Amino acid sequence: MAMLLTRYWKWGLTILMGIGVFLFWGIGYPHALSYQEQYQLFLWTTDYFWERVSVAGGFADWLGECITQFYYYPWVGAVLLALLYMLLQRLFASLMPSAIYLLSFVPVVLLWWHMGNVSVLLSYAVAMVLVVGLVGLVGSVGLVGKVGMLGDVLVIPVIYWLLGPVVWLYAMLRVALNGWKWSWELLYVGAVMVFISAMILVQWPMTMITLSMTYFRVPMEIPVLQWLIPVAMAVMVGIGRYCRESRFGRWMWYCWQVVLIIVIGWFAYQKGYYKDVYELIWQDYQIRHEQWDKIIQRAKDHVVRTTFWSNSVNLALSQKRQLAEQMFDFYQSGDDALIMPRMRDLTSNLPSAEAYYRLGLVNSAQRYMFDIQESILNGKKSGRCTKRIVECMLVNGHYKSALKYIDLLKKSLYYRGWAEEAERVVTADAKTREQRVNAHPQLGRLRQIRFKNDFLYSHAEKDKIFGLLFMDNHDNKMALDYFIGEMLLRGNVQGVMQYMSWAQQYGGYSYMPVGYQDAVQCIQKHGDLPGSMYGAYVRRMMKR
């Protein structure tokens, strides 16, 4: 046993790290993986491949997206991430002397920290793994001296075009391994980028060409960690050239390396994974999978005072018919707590889009989903948004338009089965097509409760739209709950007292919901009702 531990302890640590990575992403943060998957639509076509590799860093981007599509099932994504982290550690360890072997885990910890930023794309990690592997391969075949320099002259432009600005890491590692006589490679990398900027990528900003390209979802924004990691790797390899382990101080060497890794790991978790951000991502993940009870239960203990949070919790309450009972037991952000106005980003309006869809306001849901997809700043499409757009088109009977989006989904992996089923519906004869849509549990219901005529309305008057939607179909209980809830949020006392009878007559309640009783009593006593949850909300709004 002692011999096995002595011989395979390095592999043991790598496997242990891989298990930790899997548990972290697969069990602790599966919602983060789902978040990444929903903002891309990887297509298995040659056109899609050539489109990606037509810009610098495109191959890393294509490969990163290929892996990210498997995040559709988070546990699969967690396995792939664990393998990627393990590969990075083993490849980097091959460049390090045994004296500081444990420092080969530092880049992995830093990468874990960096990936806490939800805008970091997997193309960055993929590019780093490939570059470190290439450096190890070049070293193993003995490409040094003039032959090695000539080889790098030819290889560096290829690396840059395939993997992007992480080619800087290749040059820095070559300098760290071979000495300052190789520092010309850094100047050569810069010259290659300037040439490509002037002759090929003339429309790209120089900052992106030299530093970011496809590694970050937000163009022109470059996180510090993105370049701290390569610099740290080069410094550690450079230090490794002069490190020699003394037998007497072996455990001291290992101890300070372990302490360093623990300290970096602590900072990574504290600074890289902001609780409130990931709480909202968790809510969206549960909405996507219709886990309403989980949202409601967790909302009792974890409150994020944002409109997104209120939209999500209220949507969950409405789906369990608890909005009338418990709405003001939870934080309400204001008159936008049920549905917020359109925001120009890729996340904020997701719960609002889901609420519109389930209310039967299909056109608004389609518009929100389209705007969300177009707000993905790196120009990618979204499988989740595209699927919902198709569903809205099917409800409205816009079959020819739906076919265009269905054709895209058919070229993906996890949306293909659904798209093929939708295509069979759309391409059937007119009578069969209508029968299939009407018989669908969700689409058929939406056809019954939606508005039949198109018209424009102001977001400021959405309470009236909820009321009209309910009057058009009294079976739309969600519209009734949102109608009364919106009036309560706005403090529309007259409207609440006038239409509260609708809740008794059409709401399907055996008694007046406690939340409504509280609100009515609070209104009747002009807010002087100790312990009233609605009264507490009104007082908080009045202080604004």
Side-chain angles (χ1 to χ4, degrees):
M1 179 61 72
M3 184 178 296
L4 288 175
L5 290 175
T6 303
R7 189 171 182 179
Y8 297 110
W9 68 273
K10 294 180 179 179
W11 270 106
L13 288 177
T14 301
I15 293 172
L16 188 63
M17 178 202 71
I19 293 173
V21 171
F22 170 77
L23 294 176
F24 179 84
W25 292 109
I27 296 179
Y29 286 80
H31 45 290
L33 301 184
S34 178
Y35 178 89
Q36 297 298 333
E37 183 275 333
Q38 73 184 17
Y39 291 121
Q40 66 162 57
L41 180 59
F42 184 85
L43 305 180
W44 290 94
T45 64
T46 54
D47 288 343
Y48 189 80
F49 173 78
W50 289 116
E51 178 188 352
R52 286 291 174 267
V53 299
S54 63
V55 298
F59 179 73
D61 194 28
W62 180 86
L63 191 54
E65 286 187 38
C66 183
I67 297 173
T68 302
Q69 72 177 321
F70 293 98
Y71 292 2
Y72 188 88
Y73 294 109
W75 69 270
V76 178
V79 170
L80 295 176
L81 270 181
L83 294 175
L84 193 68
Y85 278 48
M86 291 168 65
L87 186 58
L88 176 62
Q89 186 271 325
R90 292 300 300 178
L91 291 173
F92 187 63
S94 67
L95 307 179
M96 304 282 285
S98 60
I100 54 173
Y101 173 81
L102 293 180
L103 291 186
S104 63
F105 290 91
V106 170
V108 175
V109 178
L110 290 174
L111 179 62
W112 171 56
W113 182 349
H114 186 42
M115 290 182 68
N117 187 325
V118 295
S119 293
V120 173
L121 302 177
L122 195 61
S123 56
Y124 177 75
V126 168
M128 281 214 309
V129 169
L130 293 177
V131 163
V132 175
L134 184 60
V135 171
L137 177 64
V138 169
S140 65
V141 298
L143 290 181
V144 295
K146 294 182 178 179
V147 176
M149 291 182 178
L150 180 60
D152 281 353
V153 169
L154 301 175
V155 166
I156 282 175
V158 176
I159 296 175
Y160 175 68
W161 194 261
L162 293 178
L163 306 180
V166 167
V167 69
W168 287 112
L169 175 60
Y170 178 86
M172 287 189 289
L173 290 177
R174 293 289 277 169
V175 173
L177 287 168
N178 300 313
W180 287 108
K181 63 181 180 181
W182 289 69
S183 59
W184 63 271
E185 290 201 3
L186 298 172
L187 299 175
Y188 181 60
V189 168
V192 168
M193 292 179 176
V194 170
F195 176 82
I196 290 177
S197 173
M199 303 302 295
I200 303 176
L201 301 178
V202 293
Q203 75 276 25
W204 287 71
M206 193 63 186
T207 304
M208 291 186 65
I209 289 175
T210 56
L211 297 176
S212 61
M213 290 305 289
T214 59
Y215 304 147
F216 203 66
R217 186 175 285 114
V218 183
M220 301 298 293
E221 189 172 315
I222 305 170
V224 174
L225 273 173
Q226 184 167 298
W227 287 106
L228 177 63
I229 298 172
V231 170
M233 293 171 73
V235 169
M236 283 187 287
V237 171
I239 292 174
R241 294 181 63 202
Y242 306 100
C243 268
R244 295 295 180 268
E245 176 185 337
S246 66
R247 183 164 304 193
F248 176 76
R250 174 182 298 177
W251 292 109
M252 289 300 298
W253 277 89
Y254 289 157
C255 284
W256 75 259
Q257 292 173 62
V258 170
V259 169
L260 178 63
I261 293 170
I262 292 174
V263 170
I264 296 174
W266 183 86
F267 275 102
Y269 186 71
Q270 293 295 321
K271 304 298 182 181
Y273 293 81
Y274 294 107
K275 183 179 179 181
D276 287 354
V277 172
Y278 279 92
E279 185 67 23
L280 300 180
I281 292 174
W282 181 88
Q283 282 189 328
D284 177 56
Y285 177 67
Q286 303 306 328
I287 289 174
R288 184 178 183 181
H289 295 282
E290 301 183 347
Q291 299 296 313
W292 313 118
D293 288 324
K294 289 184 178 180
I295 295 174
I296 296 169
Q297 188 62 37
R298 190 176 176 102
K300 297 175 182 178
D301 301 317
H302 301 272
V303 179
V304 183
R305 296 183 180 275
T306 64
T307 304
F308 185 104
W309 189 92
S310 295
N311 288 175
S312 301
V313 174
N314 288 332
L315 175 60
L317 290 170
S318 72
Q319 297 307 294
K320 303 300 292 186
R321 287 308 314 275
Q322 296 178 22
L323 192 65
E325 289 275 357
Q326 302 185 51
M327 181 175 178
F328 290 97
D329 291 348
F330 298 93
Y331 169 78
Q332 301 297 328
S333 59
D335 60 5
D336 57 358
L338 288 171
I339 291 180
M340 72 168 72
R342 281 188 292 171
M343 305 291 290
R344 293 188 176 182
D345 64 53
L346 72 169
T347 305
S348 298
N349 284 140
L350 282 169
S352 297
E354 289 288 341
Y356 271 138
Y357 182 73
R358 296 169 190 280
L359 280 163
L361 293 168
V362 180
N363 289 351
S364 296
Q366 181 177 328
R367 182 174 69 252
Y368 267 45
M369 277 298 182
F370 182 84
D371 289 346
I372 289 168
Q373 181 163 250
E374 294 306 307
S375 297
I376 302 174
L377 294 177
N378 59 356
K380 306 294 174 65
K381 298 302 179 183
S382 164
R384 176 184 177 183
C385 291
T386 301
K387 180 183 176 183
R388 178 49 51 85
I389 289 170
V390 171
E391 290 171 330
C392 292
M393 289 179 173
L394 293 179
V395 173
N396 285 328
H398 299 157
Y399 301 118
K400 291 185 178 178
S401 299
L403 272 175
K404 178 180 68 173
Y405 293 96
I406 289 172
D407 185 59
L408 281 177
L409 294 175
K410 281 173 58 182
K411 297 170 183 175
S412 66
L413 179 61
Y414 290 112
Y415 299 95
R416 180 183 301 161
W418 183 90
E420 290 173 346
E421 182 179 345
E423 185 181 43
R424 285 192 291 271
V425 172
V426 171
T427 56
D429 62 87
K431 182 178 180 180
T432 304
R433 180 172 57 202
E434 295 303 313
Q435 289 177 344
R436 290 178 178 176
V437 175
N438 291 332
H440 191 277
Q442 186 182 76
L443 303 184
R445 175 183 175 275
L446 291 176
R447 276 200 166 180
Q448 293 176 0
I449 65 176
R450 71 187 176 111
F451 286 124
K452 304 304 185 291
N453 299 315
D454 293 335
F455 59 90
L456 298 176
Y457 69 90
S458 170
H459 180 82
E461 297 183 332
K462 60 181 181 293
D463 57 332
K464 298 178 182 178
I465 297 301
F466 297 151
L468 291 173
L469 195 62
F470 172 71
M471 290 176 64
D472 198 45
N473 191 318
H474 287 173
D475 290 333
N476 193 346
K477 308 301 184 186
M478 182 179 175
L480 174 61
D481 293 343
Y482 268 57
F483 173 56
I484 297 177
E486 184 68 23
M487 288 190 296
L488 288 171
L489 289 170
R490 295 186 179 201
N492 184 352
V493 174
Q494 183 178 354
V496 170
M497 302 306 291
Q498 180 179 353
Y499 293 106
M500 188 60 73
S501 60
W502 285 13
Q504 292 178 302
Q505 185 175 357
Y506 301 108
Y509 302 110
S510 57
Y511 61 91
M512 177 64 77
V514 174
Y516 288 170
Q517 292 181 36
D518 174 64
V520 170
Q521 291 177 17
C522 182
I523 291 171
Q524 290 173 340
K525 295 190 176 183
H526 306 286
D528 187 18
L529 184 64
S532 169
M533 302 303 292
Y534 181 65
Y537 163 78
V538 172
R539 288 191 293 273
R540 179 164 56 84
M541 290 297 104
M542 291 178 66
K543 291 179 180 179
R544 286 188 171 184

PDB file of all heavy atoms in Angstrom, residues 100-126:
ATOM      1  N   ILE A 100       7.907  21.510  -6.773  1.00  0.00           N
ATOM      2  CA  ILE A 100       6.730  22.384  -6.627  1.00  0.00           C
ATOM      3  C   ILE A 100       5.557  21.803  -7.406  1.00  0.00           C
ATOM      4  O   ILE A 100       4.762  22.533  -8.000  1.00  0.00           O
ATOM      5  CB  ILE A 100       7.040  23.824  -7.078  1.00  0.00           C
ATOM      6  CG1 ILE A 100       7.596  23.845  -8.502  1.00  0.00           C
ATOM      7  CG2 ILE A 100       7.987  24.504  -6.111  1.00  0.00           C
ATOM      8  CD1 ILE A 100       7.765  25.258  -9.050  1.00  0.00           C
ATOM      9  N   TYR A 101       5.449  20.481  -7.391  1.00  0.00           N
ATOM     10  CA  TYR A 101       4.388  19.813  -8.144  1.00  0.00           C
ATOM     11  C   TYR A 101       3.003  20.299  -7.730  1.00  0.00           C
ATOM     12  O   TYR A 101       2.115  20.474  -8.581  1.00  0.00           O
ATOM     13  CB  TYR A 101       4.480  18.301  -7.928  1.00  0.00           C
ATOM     14  CG  TYR A 101       3.315  17.549  -8.525  1.00  0.00           C
ATOM     15  CD1 TYR A 101       3.285  17.246  -9.875  1.00  0.00           C
ATOM     16  CD2 TYR A 101       2.217  17.177  -7.738  1.00  0.00           C
ATOM     17  CE1 TYR A 101       2.205  16.566 -10.430  1.00  0.00           C
ATOM     18  CE2 TYR A 101       1.145  16.508  -8.270  1.00  0.00           C
ATOM     19  CZ  TYR A 101       1.145  16.206  -9.625  1.00  0.00           C
ATOM     20  OH  TYR A 101       0.073  15.556 -10.177  1.00  0.00           O
ATOM     21  N   LEU A 102       2.791  20.525  -6.447  1.00  0.00           N
ATOM     22  CA  LEU A 102       1.461  20.907  -5.972  1.00  0.00           C
ATOM     23  C   LEU A 102       1.001  22.236  -6.551  1.00  0.00           C
ATOM     24  O   LEU A 102      -0.202  22.508  -6.624  1.00  0.00           O
ATOM     25  CB  LEU A 102       1.439  20.960  -4.444  1.00  0.00           C
ATOM     26  CG  LEU A 102       1.617  19.612  -3.726  1.00  0.00           C
ATOM     27  CD1 LEU A 102       1.568  19.809  -2.216  1.00  0.00           C
ATOM     28  CD2 LEU A 102       0.552  18.627  -4.162  1.00  0.00           C
ATOM     29  N   LEU A 103       1.963  23.066  -6.978  1.00  0.00           N
ATOM     30  CA  LEU A 103       1.575  24.341  -7.582  1.00  0.00           C
ATOM     31  C   LEU A 103       0.885  24.145  -8.933  1.00  0.00           C
ATOM     32  O   LEU A 103       0.295  25.087  -9.467  1.00  0.00           O
ATOM     33  CB  LEU A 103       2.796  25.245  -7.754  1.00  0.00           C
ATOM     34  CG  LEU A 103       3.433  25.789  -6.479  1.00  0.00           C
ATOM     35  CD1 LEU A 103       4.541  26.780  -6.822  1.00  0.00           C
ATOM     36  CD2 LEU A 103       2.389  26.443  -5.578  1.00  0.00           C
ATOM     37  N   SER A 104       0.941  22.934  -9.474  1.00  0.00           N
ATOM     38  CA  SER A 104       0.240  22.673 -10.734  1.00  0.00           C
ATOM     39  C   SER A 104      -1.277  22.748 -10.554  1.00  0.00           C
ATOM     40  O   SER A 104      -2.022  22.824 -11.536  1.00  0.00           O
ATOM     41  CB  SER A 104       0.620  21.298 -11.292  1.00  0.00           C
ATOM     42  OG  SER A 104       0.218  20.263 -10.401  1.00  0.00           O
ATOM     43  N   PHE A 105      -1.744  22.747  -9.291  1.00  0.00           N
ATOM     44  CA  PHE A 105      -3.174  22.888  -9.018  1.00  0.00           C
ATOM     45  C   PHE A 105      -3.605  24.357  -8.975  1.00  0.00           C
ATOM     46  O   PHE A 105      -4.799  24.641  -9.011  1.00  0.00           O
ATOM     47  CB  PHE A 105      -3.541  22.206  -7.700  1.00  0.00           C
ATOM     48  CG  PHE A 105      -3.454  20.707  -7.758  1.00  0.00           C
ATOM     49  CD1 PHE A 105      -2.276  20.053  -7.412  1.00  0.00           C
ATOM     50  CD2 PHE A 105      -4.536  19.944  -8.164  1.00  0.00           C
ATOM     51  CE1 PHE A 105      -2.189  18.666  -7.458  1.00  0.00           C
ATOM     52  CE2 PHE A 105      -4.461  18.560  -8.216  1.00  0.00           C
ATOM     53  CZ  PHE A 105      -3.278  17.914  -7.874  1.00  0.00           C
ATOM     54  N   VAL A 106      -2.638  25.273  -8.882  1.00  0.00           N
ATOM     55  CA  VAL A 106      -2.973  26.694  -8.780  1.00  0.00           C
ATOM     56  C   VAL A 106      -3.734  27.196 -10.011  1.00  0.00           C
ATOM     57  O   VAL A 106      -4.754  27.884  -9.869  1.00  0.00           O
ATOM     58  CB  VAL A 106      -1.705  27.531  -8.519  1.00  0.00           C
ATOM     59  CG1 VAL A 106      -2.001  29.023  -8.663  1.00  0.00           C
ATOM     60  CG2 VAL A 106      -1.164  27.237  -7.123  1.00  0.00           C
ATOM     61  N   PRO A 107      -3.294  26.898 -11.249  1.00  0.00           N
ATOM     62  CA  PRO A 107      -4.076  27.365 -12.403  1.00  0.00           C
ATOM     63  C   PRO A 107      -5.507  26.845 -12.410  1.00  0.00           C
ATOM     64  O   PRO A 107      -6.422  27.547 -12.850  1.00  0.00           O
ATOM     65  CB  PRO A 107      -3.283  26.813 -13.597  1.00  0.00           C
ATOM     66  CG  PRO A 107      -1.901  26.629 -13.098  1.00  0.00           C
ATOM     67  CD  PRO A 107      -2.053  26.230 -11.667  1.00  0.00           C
ATOM     68  N   VAL A 108      -5.694  25.620 -11.922  1.00  0.00           N
ATOM     69  CA  VAL A 108      -7.048  25.064 -11.866  1.00  0.00           C
ATOM     70  C   VAL A 108      -7.910  25.857 -10.893  1.00  0.00           C
ATOM     71  O   VAL A 108      -9.071  26.177 -11.179  1.00  0.00           O
ATOM     72  CB  VAL A 108      -7.000  23.580 -11.458  1.00  0.00           C
ATOM     73  CG1 VAL A 108      -8.400  23.027 -11.288  1.00  0.00           C
ATOM     74  CG2 VAL A 108      -6.246  22.769 -12.495  1.00  0.00           C
ATOM     75  N   VAL A 109      -7.345  26.188  -9.732  1.00  0.00           N
ATOM     76  CA  VAL A 109      -8.097  26.959  -8.741  1.00  0.00           C
ATOM     77  C   VAL A 109      -8.402  28.357  -9.274  1.00  0.00           C
ATOM     78  O   VAL A 109      -9.511  28.884  -9.097  1.00  0.00           O
ATOM     79  CB  VAL A 109      -7.312  27.037  -7.418  1.00  0.00           C
ATOM     80  CG1 VAL A 109      -8.064  27.889  -6.397  1.00  0.00           C
ATOM     81  CG2 VAL A 109      -7.069  25.647  -6.854  1.00  0.00           C
ATOM     82  N   LEU A 110      -7.422  28.963  -9.940  1.00  0.00           N
ATOM     83  CA  LEU A 110      -7.650  30.285 -10.522  1.00  0.00           C
ATOM     84  C   LEU A 110      -8.704  30.231 -11.624  1.00  0.00           C
ATOM     85  O   LEU A 110      -9.531  31.148 -11.754  1.00  0.00           O
ATOM     86  CB  LEU A 110      -6.338  30.849 -11.064  1.00  0.00           C
ATOM     87  CG  LEU A 110      -5.285  31.252 -10.028  1.00  0.00           C
ATOM     88  CD1 LEU A 110      -3.989  31.661 -10.718  1.00  0.00           C
ATOM     89  CD2 LEU A 110      -5.797  32.395  -9.152  1.00  0.00           C
ATOM     90  N   LEU A 111      -8.677  29.171 -12.425  1.00  0.00           N
ATOM     91  CA  LEU A 111      -9.685  29.012 -13.474  1.00  0.00           C
ATOM     92  C   LEU A 111     -11.068  28.833 -12.852  1.00  0.00           C
ATOM     93  O   LEU A 111     -12.060  29.393 -13.340  1.00  0.00           O
ATOM     94  CB  LEU A 111      -9.340  27.810 -14.350  1.00  0.00           C
ATOM     95  CG  LEU A 111     -10.330  27.500 -15.483  1.00  0.00           C
ATOM     96  CD1 LEU A 111     -10.412  28.660 -16.467  1.00  0.00           C
ATOM     97  CD2 LEU A 111      -9.925  26.215 -16.206  1.00  0.00           C
ATOM     98  N   TRP A 112     -11.145  28.053 -11.802  1.00  0.00           N
ATOM     99  CA  TRP A 112     -12.402  27.878 -11.073  1.00  0.00           C
ATOM    100  C   TRP A 112     -12.919  29.231 -10.568  1.00  0.00           C
ATOM    101  O   TRP A 112     -14.112  29.532 -10.653  1.00  0.00           O
ATOM    102  CB  TRP A 112     -12.162  26.904  -9.922  1.00  0.00           C
ATOM    103  CG  TRP A 112     -13.297  26.773  -8.964  1.00  0.00           C
ATOM    104  CD1 TRP A 112     -14.592  26.426  -9.251  1.00  0.00           C
ATOM    105  CD2 TRP A 112     -13.240  26.996  -7.556  1.00  0.00           C
ATOM    106  NE1 TRP A 112     -15.339  26.418  -8.096  1.00  0.00           N
ATOM    107  CE2 TRP A 112     -14.540  26.746  -7.039  1.00  0.00           C
ATOM    108  CE3 TRP A 112     -12.215  27.347  -6.680  1.00  0.00           C
ATOM    109  CZ2 TRP A 112     -14.827  26.871  -5.684  1.00  0.00           C
ATOM    110  CZ3 TRP A 112     -12.505  27.461  -5.332  1.00  0.00           C
ATOM    111  CH2 TRP A 112     -13.806  27.226  -4.850  1.00  0.00           C
ATOM    112  N   TRP A 113     -12.016  30.054 -10.056  1.00  0.00           N
ATOM    113  CA  TRP A 113     -12.363  31.408  -9.613  1.00  0.00           C
ATOM    114  C   TRP A 113     -12.885  32.217 -10.803  1.00  0.00           C
ATOM    115  O   TRP A 113     -13.952  32.840 -10.729  1.00  0.00           O
ATOM    116  CB  TRP A 113     -11.117  32.048  -9.027  1.00  0.00           C
ATOM    117  CG  TRP A 113     -11.287  33.433  -8.473  1.00  0.00           C
ATOM    118  CD1 TRP A 113     -12.361  34.273  -8.620  1.00  0.00           C
ATOM    119  CD2 TRP A 113     -10.342  34.140  -7.664  1.00  0.00           C
ATOM    120  NE1 TRP A 113     -12.155  35.459  -7.972  1.00  0.00           N
ATOM    121  CE2 TRP A 113     -10.920  35.405  -7.369  1.00  0.00           C
ATOM    122  CE3 TRP A 113      -9.072  33.836  -7.167  1.00  0.00           C
ATOM    123  CZ2 TRP A 113     -10.252  36.355  -6.593  1.00  0.00           C
ATOM    124  CZ3 TRP A 113      -8.414  34.785  -6.396  1.00  0.00           C
ATOM    125  CH2 TRP A 113      -8.993  36.028  -6.109  1.00  0.00           C
ATOM    126  N   HIS A 114     -12.158  32.183 -11.891  1.00  0.00           N
ATOM    127  CA  HIS A 114     -12.511  32.977 -13.072  1.00  0.00           C
ATOM    128  C   HIS A 114     -13.874  32.570 -13.625  1.00  0.00           C
ATOM    129  O   HIS A 114     -14.668  33.421 -14.042  1.00  0.00           O
ATOM    130  CB  HIS A 114     -11.426  32.792 -14.139  1.00  0.00           C
ATOM    131  CG  HIS A 114     -11.591  33.670 -15.340  1.00  0.00           C
ATOM    132  ND1 HIS A 114     -11.947  34.997 -15.260  1.00  0.00           N
ATOM    133  CD2 HIS A 114     -11.458  33.403 -16.669  1.00  0.00           C
ATOM    134  CE1 HIS A 114     -12.009  35.521 -16.474  1.00  0.00           C
ATOM    135  NE2 HIS A 114     -11.733  34.576 -17.339  1.00  0.00           N
ATOM    136  N   MET A 115     -14.178  31.289 -13.615  1.00  0.00           N
ATOM    137  CA  MET A 115     -15.436  30.808 -14.174  1.00  0.00           C
ATOM    138  C   MET A 115     -16.624  31.105 -13.279  1.00  0.00           C
ATOM    139  O   MET A 115     -17.778  30.851 -13.650  1.00  0.00           O
ATOM    140  CB  MET A 115     -15.346  29.305 -14.462  1.00  0.00           C
ATOM    141  CG  MET A 115     -14.423  28.982 -15.623  1.00  0.00           C
ATOM    142  SD  MET A 115     -14.332  27.218 -16.020  1.00  0.00           S
ATOM    143  CE  MET A 115     -15.986  26.939 -16.648  1.00  0.00           C
ATOM    144  N   GLY A 116     -16.372  31.683 -12.107  1.00  0.00           N
ATOM    145  CA  GLY A 116     -17.465  32.186 -11.296  1.00  0.00           C
ATOM    146  C   GLY A 116     -18.150  33.367 -11.949  1.00  0.00           C
ATOM    147  O   GLY A 116     -19.313  33.657 -11.665  1.00  0.00           O
ATOM    148  N   ASN A 117     -17.452  34.061 -12.832  1.00  0.00           N
ATOM    149  CA  ASN A 117     -18.056  35.124 -13.632  1.00  0.00           C
ATOM    150  C   ASN A 117     -18.900  34.473 -14.720  1.00  0.00           C
ATOM    151  O   ASN A 117     -18.387  33.748 -15.569  1.00  0.00           O
ATOM    152  CB  ASN A 117     -16.956  35.999 -14.244  1.00  0.00           C
ATOM    153  CG  ASN A 117     -17.511  37.237 -14.944  1.00  0.00           C
ATOM    154  OD1 ASN A 117     -18.578  37.205 -15.551  1.00  0.00           O
ATOM    155  ND2 ASN A 117     -16.775  38.322 -14.864  1.00  0.00           N
ATOM    156  N   VAL A 118     -20.203  34.739 -14.713  1.00  0.00           N
ATOM    157  CA  VAL A 118     -21.113  34.016 -15.600  1.00  0.00           C
ATOM    158  C   VAL A 118     -20.921  34.386 -17.066  1.00  0.00           C
ATOM    159  O   VAL A 118     -21.493  33.732 -17.943  1.00  0.00           O
ATOM    160  CB  VAL A 118     -22.583  34.263 -15.196  1.00  0.00           C
ATOM    161  CG1 VAL A 118     -22.859  33.687 -13.823  1.00  0.00           C
ATOM    162  CG2 VAL A 118     -22.929  35.754 -15.231  1.00  0.00           C
ATOM    163  N   SER A 119     -20.131  35.413 -17.344  1.00  0.00           N
ATOM    164  CA  SER A 119     -19.889  35.801 -18.740  1.00  0.00           C
ATOM    165  C   SER A 119     -18.645  35.137 -19.326  1.00  0.00           C
ATOM    166  O   SER A 119     -18.351  35.316 -20.503  1.00  0.00           O
ATOM    167  CB  SER A 119     -19.759  37.326 -18.855  1.00  0.00           C
ATOM    168  OG  SER A 119     -20.989  37.963 -18.570  1.00  0.00           O
ATOM    169  N   VAL A 120     -17.899  34.401 -18.500  1.00  0.00           N
ATOM    170  CA  VAL A 120     -16.725  33.678 -19.002  1.00  0.00           C
ATOM    171  C   VAL A 120     -17.192  32.472 -19.803  1.00  0.00           C
ATOM    172  O   VAL A 120     -18.021  31.689 -19.358  1.00  0.00           O
ATOM    173  CB  VAL A 120     -15.824  33.226 -17.837  1.00  0.00           C
ATOM    174  CG1 VAL A 120     -14.701  32.334 -18.336  1.00  0.00           C
ATOM    175  CG2 VAL A 120     -15.253  34.435 -17.114  1.00  0.00           C
ATOM    176  N   LEU A 121     -16.661  32.323 -21.004  1.00  0.00           N
ATOM    177  CA  LEU A 121     -17.042  31.222 -21.881  1.00  0.00           C
ATOM    178  C   LEU A 121     -16.025  30.093 -21.798  1.00  0.00           C
ATOM    179  O   LEU A 121     -14.846  30.314 -21.482  1.00  0.00           O
ATOM    180  CB  LEU A 121     -17.165  31.722 -23.319  1.00  0.00           C
ATOM    181  CG  LEU A 121     -18.165  32.865 -23.529  1.00  0.00           C
ATOM    182  CD1 LEU A 121     -18.146  33.338 -24.969  1.00  0.00           C
ATOM    183  CD2 LEU A 121     -19.567  32.439 -23.121  1.00  0.00           C
ATOM    184  N   LEU A 122     -16.467  28.902 -22.109  1.00  0.00           N
ATOM    185  CA  LEU A 122     -15.602  27.732 -21.981  1.00  0.00           C
ATOM    186  C   LEU A 122     -14.473  27.746 -22.998  1.00  0.00           C
ATOM    187  O   LEU A 122     -13.481  27.033 -22.835  1.00  0.00           O
ATOM    188  CB  LEU A 122     -16.432  26.457 -22.138  1.00  0.00           C
ATOM    189  CG  LEU A 122     -15.760  25.155 -21.689  1.00  0.00           C
ATOM    190  CD1 LEU A 122     -15.420  25.208 -20.209  1.00  0.00           C
ATOM    191  CD2 LEU A 122     -16.643  23.963 -21.984  1.00  0.00           C
ATOM    192  N   SER A 123     -14.592  28.559 -24.037  1.00  0.00           N
ATOM    193  CA  SER A 123     -13.523  28.651 -25.033  1.00  0.00           C
ATOM    194  C   SER A 123     -12.201  29.051 -24.392  1.00  0.00           C
ATOM    195  O   SER A 123     -11.126  28.652 -24.857  1.00  0.00           O
ATOM    196  CB  SER A 123     -13.896  29.664 -26.119  1.00  0.00           C
ATOM    197  OG  SER A 123     -14.187  30.937 -25.557  1.00  0.00           O
ATOM    198  N   TYR A 124     -12.263  29.823 -23.316  1.00  0.00           N
ATOM    199  CA  TYR A 124     -11.039  30.238 -22.624  1.00  0.00           C
ATOM    200  C   TYR A 124     -10.323  29.034 -22.015  1.00  0.00           C
ATOM    201  O   TYR A 124      -9.112  28.848 -22.210  1.00  0.00           O
ATOM    202  CB  TYR A 124     -11.379  31.258 -21.548  1.00  0.00           C
ATOM    203  CG  TYR A 124     -10.206  31.708 -20.720  1.00  0.00           C
ATOM    204  CD1 TYR A 124      -9.257  32.580 -21.234  1.00  0.00           C
ATOM    205  CD2 TYR A 124     -10.044  31.259 -19.413  1.00  0.00           C
ATOM    206  CE1 TYR A 124      -8.175  32.999 -20.475  1.00  0.00           C
ATOM    207  CE2 TYR A 124      -8.977  31.674 -18.639  1.00  0.00           C
ATOM    208  CZ  TYR A 124      -8.036  32.536 -19.179  1.00  0.00           C
ATOM    209  OH  TYR A 124      -6.964  32.940 -18.421  1.00  0.00           O
ATOM    210  N   ALA A 125     -11.059  28.218 -21.277  1.00  0.00           N
ATOM    211  CA  ALA A 125     -10.453  27.038 -20.651  1.00  0.00           C
ATOM    212  C   ALA A 125      -9.958  26.060 -21.703  1.00  0.00           C
ATOM    213  O   ALA A 125      -8.871  25.476 -21.566  1.00  0.00           O
ATOM    214  CB  ALA A 125     -11.474  26.357 -19.735  1.00  0.00           C
ATOM    215  N   VAL A 126     -10.726  25.860 -22.766  1.00  0.00           N
ATOM    216  CA  VAL A 126     -10.324  24.950 -23.846  1.00  0.00           C
ATOM    217  C   VAL A 126      -9.034  25.432 -24.491  1.00  0.00           C
ATOM    218  O   VAL A 126      -8.108  24.634 -24.739  1.00  0.00           O
ATOM    219  CB  VAL A 126     -11.447  24.845 -24.897  1.00  0.00           C
ATOM    220  CG1 VAL A 126     -10.949  24.159 -26.154  1.00  0.00           C
ATOM    221  CG2 VAL A 126     -12.641  24.092 -24.320  1.00  0.00           C
TER     222      VAL A 126
END
